[in-house]
Amino acid sequence: QVQLVESGGGLVQAGGSLRLSCAASGSVFSINVMGWYRQAPGKQRELVATIAGDSSTTYADSVKGRFTIARDNAKNTVFLQMNSLKPEDTAAYYCNVKGRRWLGEDYWGQGTQVTVST
């Protein structure tokens, strides 16, 4: 099993920045892709960004150019730097790790709230 602990959410004004962190523990040797998803009230959970072991990244179109994902493999931690935040970025943000041991190995953090005010 992999356990994930997120931090860094909060309330920020539009145009501001926040940095989310997610530290993994447990069976960290299994970690393959790390990423962030978000879910706003009444909406489905959606992909924000992912980063693979070779540091290749993917981003949702809505955050490209504003958000940056990075990982520290030595510390088994993934980060999400969020700049130029907009009210529509308001959501619960969830850390996700996909393992390599079996198909569908998938772990989620407890979520951290990001609220962007106008």
Side-chain angles (χ1 to χ4, degrees):
Q1 296 293 317
V2 174
Q3 293 78 44
L4 303 172
V5 178
E6 300 139 335
S7 60
L11 173 65
V12 64
Q13 288 189 328
S17 299
L18 283 174
R19 188 188 194 216
L20 305 183
S21 300
C22 173
S25 61
S27 301
V28 295
F29 58 87
S30 176
I31 293 174
N32 186 9
V33 178
M34 306 182 82
W36 291 93
Y37 290 71
R38 67 186 182 186
Q39 187 169 18
K43 295 187 177 181
Q44 289 188 332
R45 190 171 296 188
E46 63 177 4
L47 170 73
V48 176
T50 66
I51 183 166
D54 63 0
S55 296
S56 58
T57 58
T58 62
Y59 292 94
D61 287 343
S62 59
V63 307
K64 282 180 181 177
R66 300 188 298 122
F67 291 11
T68 302
I69 190 169
R71 65 192 281 175
D72 182 337
N73 290 325
K75 296 182 178 179
N76 303 306
T77 300
V78 62
F79 306 96
L80 185 68
Q81 178 66 43
M82 304 184 292
N83 298 329
S84 302
L85 282 160
K86 304 175 180 180
E88 51 263 44
D89 294 317
T90 295
Y93 283 70
Y94 295 89
C95 177
N96 174 262
V97 163
K98 300 191 186 306
R100 64 178 85 246
R101 290 181 293 179
W102 59 81
L103 183 65
E105 186 182 9
D106 206 24
Y107 303 97
W108 293 92
Q110 79 282 0
T112 186
Q113 180 67 33
V114 171
T115 303
V116 184
S117 64
T118 55

